[in-house]
Amino acid sequence: MSRELLDAVQTGRTWLDRFTRREYPKAFQEYTARFGPAYLEAVRAAGGEEAALQALADEILDGLEAGWKRQRFWNRASVMVNEKQMVVDYLTPMLLEQTGTDCPRFAALLRDRWAARRPGDEYATASYAKLLGGFRYSILGIDLANKHLDPDNDRQ
């Protein structure tokens, strides 16, 4: 397995800091440009076979778990939460955006394999559009109409 596949999840602190209403569109594009080709190639190399895709998902999860075990016990839970958040906020939406490939199916397999290994810590998949539409627009705590803002011109 390519180290880049794990880096897409394990180097997430800078990406998570950019998970804001204004930064997420640009950060997601950069994330997809950086890690999308590696995941697309890995999924294509699996050949679309269910067993091969499951093996790839298990390999990624094994790598994440090995990284968690290397953490000091007081930092382990924080790293696990951050990496799960990376899977939910960036990796899964990126895979779902790759229509016409086996990437959306791989995203579902990754979610299912995660749930099988960590019962009680499941996550739901969400598309980029759904995540982007979930940001609240408010001023001083007063909700405004939930409208999609152009990331280049935030004054609409």
Side-chain angles (χ1 to χ4, degrees):
M1 172 180 56
S2 168
R3 178 71 201 158
E4 193 170 17
L5 298 180
L6 284 178
D7 284 347
V9 177
Q10 291 178 329
T11 60
R13 187 71 252 158
T14 57
W15 299 107
L16 290 176
D17 290 343
R18 296 177 67 190
F19 188 68
T20 65
R21 175 175 53 97
R22 293 177 191 224
E23 284 289 316
Y24 184 57
K26 185 176 180 185
F28 183 77
Q29 289 175 356
E30 292 171 8
Y31 181 87
T32 301
R34 180 170 174 195
F35 298 110
Y39 270 89
L40 190 58
E41 180 59 34
V43 170
R44 279 187 186 150
E49 296 179 22
E50 189 84 11
L53 290 173
Q54 279 187 356
L56 178 61
D58 285 337
E59 200 173 339
I60 290 169
L61 294 174
D62 288 342
L64 293 177
E65 288 174 354
W68 299 338
K69 289 178 184 175
R70 287 191 300 270
Q71 296 293 323
R72 296 209 163 114
F73 73 90
W74 60 79
N75 193 36
R76 191 171 296 150
S78 174
V79 170
M80 290 168 66
V81 167
N82 285 342
E83 290 181 0
K84 179 182 176 184
Q85 202 63 39
M86 279 300 299
V87 171
V88 171
D89 294 344
Y90 286 95
L91 180 60
T92 299
M94 177 189 72
L95 292 170
L96 293 175
E97 292 283 312
Q98 303 291 329
T99 57
T101 67
D102 288 321
C103 288
R105 195 165 62 124
F106 177 69
L109 279 171
L110 186 63
R111 178 200 61 217
D112 295 343
R113 301 304 296 161
W114 180 292
R117 288 177 181 224
R118 307 191 60 75
D121 190 31
E122 299 92 2
Y123 66 89
T125 58
S127 68
Y128 167 74
K130 186 169 184 169
L131 286 174
L132 188 61
F135 287 105
R136 289 181 46 201
Y137 298 91
S138 62
I139 296 176
L140 299 173
I142 300 169
D143 284 336
L144 302 175
N146 194 10
K147 58 182 179 180
H148 178 73
L149 298 178
D150 179 8
D152 297 325
N153 183 10
D154 200 42
R155 300 172 198 226
Q156 290 184 1

